[in-house]
Amino acid sequence: MGDITEYNPNDSDNHGRNDGVNKAVVESFRIIGTGSCVPPRVVSNEDLTAFMDTSDEWIRSRTGIEQRHICTTETTSELAVGAARNALENANASVDEIDLILCATISGEYICPSMAALVQKSLGCQCPCMDISAACTGWIYLMDTAAAFFAKGGVRKALIIGAESMSRVLNWHDRSTAVLFGDGAGAAVLEAGDNYLGASFVTEGNDEVIAIPGKKGNSPWYDREERTGLLHMDGQETYKFAVSHLPKRIDEVLEKAGLTTADLDWVVPHQANKRIIDSAARRMKEIPAEHFCVNLQKYGNTSAASIPLLLDEWNRAGKFKEGDLLAMVAFGGGLSSAACLLRW
Ligand code: ACO
């Protein structure tokens, strides 16, 4: 059986959770390590043409995607655990120091237990665990929720993970969606600090443009027609939503922080479509186009995992310098959009 989650804020032996953080000084966090994990099976655009009426040329020119990683035997939580271990190693942190695990996913293998609890079981630590469901904006919600836990006090280090097996929820006969997504996980280890500067969120409740229906009610009394099935997305409506919301969320969060686009060093955008990122880059001319991070050609859209996969790649390549200002920005199911600011 897995480990029992025990958290008593009045227990002074509880890894110092009660007295380890001075609330008056520490209000947010800094990232001290990143990690990622993708399944080894690579599926190229060409591979998809074997069973779908599509082409490498169509997918590349409309989206920028060249390949994606797809699970064969791996589960979403296994990817999450792989990214978590990788991030702990990068942070030089031990599992015992982790006081909180938060995961974002819309494609876990369980509804209950949470993916965070499954990660905890594998890592063998004891701390509060919770999942967030906000589709592709999940990573921004993770950052802001973690900030709230740090501000409340009692958390020394936290592990946040975005993990998805979108291949589980795709209709592999629908060429308009199946070619866009991939599987993977990214994670970060957070430590109390003051590098997180806040977020801006918008949700326009809508289950028509993007939806993954859940299980139908199955009691003997349930008598309502309901949609069931796999991911449905109206690509053009999502595209319009994305290109208008992405720059707006960045402007809002900068304004809240008393900063401007001229202060930004990096934009770390959700990886759905290169054309959406290019459109944002054209509107934000103060930032060189090459400072919009892009790796969607390798992974496709990995939903809540896409921003942490980028963070890990750029971090390990040494591209972020201490003090750099990053804007992370995402859009997707909800319909939701969000951005947050972080000093590296
Ligand atoms: N291969 C070949 N042809 C295709 C494919 C394919 N894979 N998919 C669609 N087509 C065809 C269509 O049938 C259509 O043909 P028709 O003109 O004969 O009817 C034609 O290509 C054009 O289709 P459009 O949908 O107009 O293509 P568009 O240029 O809008 O690109 C795309 C579609 C790539 C989906 C784009 O709209 C997009 O990227 N939207 C945003 C998606 C997104 O960002 N999602 C993120 C959120 S997801 C989440 O939160 C879970």
Side-chain angles (χ1 to χ4, degrees):
M1 297 294 285
D3 302 300
I4 298 165
T5 301
E6 286 175 356
Y7 176 62
N8 177 359
N10 299 317
D11 178 358
S12 58
D13 290 324
N14 204 355
H15 301 314
R17 289 179 188 120
N18 194 30
D19 57 6
V21 176
N22 178 350
K23 279 199 225 179
V25 175
V26 176
E27 288 185 344
S28 68
F29 59 80
R30 66 193 184 100
I31 290 183
I32 59 165
T34 59
S36 57
C37 180
V38 291
R41 179 71 163 94
V42 172
V43 175
S44 69
N45 292 345
E46 204 56 47
D47 291 335
L48 296 175
T49 65
F51 62 97
M52 204 180 283
D53 182 15
T54 187
S55 66
D56 178 51
E57 197 282 328
W58 192 97
I59 302 169
R60 268 179 207 255
S61 62
R62 302 276 176 141
T63 71
I65 298 165
E66 296 170 15
Q67 61 171 49
R68 70 286 295 139
H69 290 251
I70 297 289
C71 291
T72 52
T73 57
E74 305 81 6
T75 62
T76 320
S77 63
E78 284 169 0
L79 299 180
V81 170
R85 287 194 196 284
N86 202 221
L88 284 165
E89 200 184 337
N90 185 247
N92 203 16
S94 95
V95 163
D96 299 335
E97 295 174 84
I98 299 299
D99 296 325
L100 173 72
I101 301 175
L102 302 176
C103 287
T105 188
I106 52 168
S107 56
E109 64 269 30
Y110 287 99
I111 292 172
C112 170
S114 67
M115 181 163 320
L118 293 170
V119 170
Q120 184 208 43
K121 176 183 173 187
S122 287
L123 295 182
C125 53
Q126 297 189 355
C127 61
C129 295
M130 181 178 85
D131 282 3
I132 285 175
S133 169
C136 304
T137 56
W139 182 258
I140 315 291
Y141 279 90
L142 283 180
M143 299 276 284
D144 213 56
T145 307
F149 272 95
F150 277 105
K152 186 164 71 76
V155 174
R156 285 177 312 165
K157 288 190 176 72
L159 188 52
I160 62 171
I161 308 159
E164 304 281 14
S165 300
M166 293 304 287
S167 59
R168 299 174 77 94
V169 298
L170 292 176
N171 176 353
W172 286 96
H173 301 290
D174 175 11
R175 67 177 182 171
S176 69
T177 53
V179 305
L180 304 175
F181 294 90
D183 301 339
V189 179
L190 316 179
E191 182 179 73
D194 57 6
N195 288 23
Y196 179 74
L197 306 182
S200 172
F201 298 97
V202 164
T203 299
E204 293 179 1
N206 181 313
D207 59 355
E208 297 299 322
V209 175
I210 303 173
I212 307 173
K215 282 180 77 132
K216 192 176 183 309
N218 71 341
S219 82
W221 305 277
Y222 200 74
D223 189 24
R224 182 184 166 125
E225 283 303 310
E226 272 177 357
R227 279 193 295 178
T228 54
L230 300 162
L231 180 138
H232 156 82
M233 182 179 72
D234 179 333
Q236 288 188 0
E237 284 303 315
T238 308
Y239 192 94
K240 282 189 246 165
F241 178 84
V243 293
S244 72
H245 279 241
L246 199 151
K248 279 189 207 156
R249 291 297 82 72
I250 295 179
D251 284 347
E252 273 169 19
V253 75
L254 283 168
E255 196 183 333
K256 277 192 199 176
L259 298 164
T260 69
T261 42
D263 297 305
L264 277 180
D265 296 292
W266 297 97
V267 177
V268 188
H270 171 49
Q271 302 290 291
N273 187 322
K274 181 70 165 51
R275 288 191 293 148
I276 293 172
I277 297 168
D278 289 346
S279 150
R282 280 195 297 276
R283 292 195 199 187
M284 302 171 88
K285 293 193 186 358
E286 296 88 346
I287 308 161
E290 63 274 20
H291 283 220
F292 282 75
C293 308
V294 176
N295 66 3
L296 58 78
Q297 70 281 5
K298 292 189 280 188
Y299 303 113
N301 179 348
T302 55
S303 184
S306 86
I307 291 179
L309 277 171
L310 270 177
L311 283 180
D312 189 44
E313 187 171 331
W314 257 245
N315 178 29
R316 282 168 196 267
K319 293 185 185 175
F320 299 140
K321 303 292 174 230
E322 197 177 333
D324 276 0
L325 183 66
L326 277 61
M328 301 176 209
V329 61
F331 54 86
L335 296 170
S336 60
S337 64
C340 70
L341 290 177
L342 180 93
R343 280 229 182 263
W344 198 253

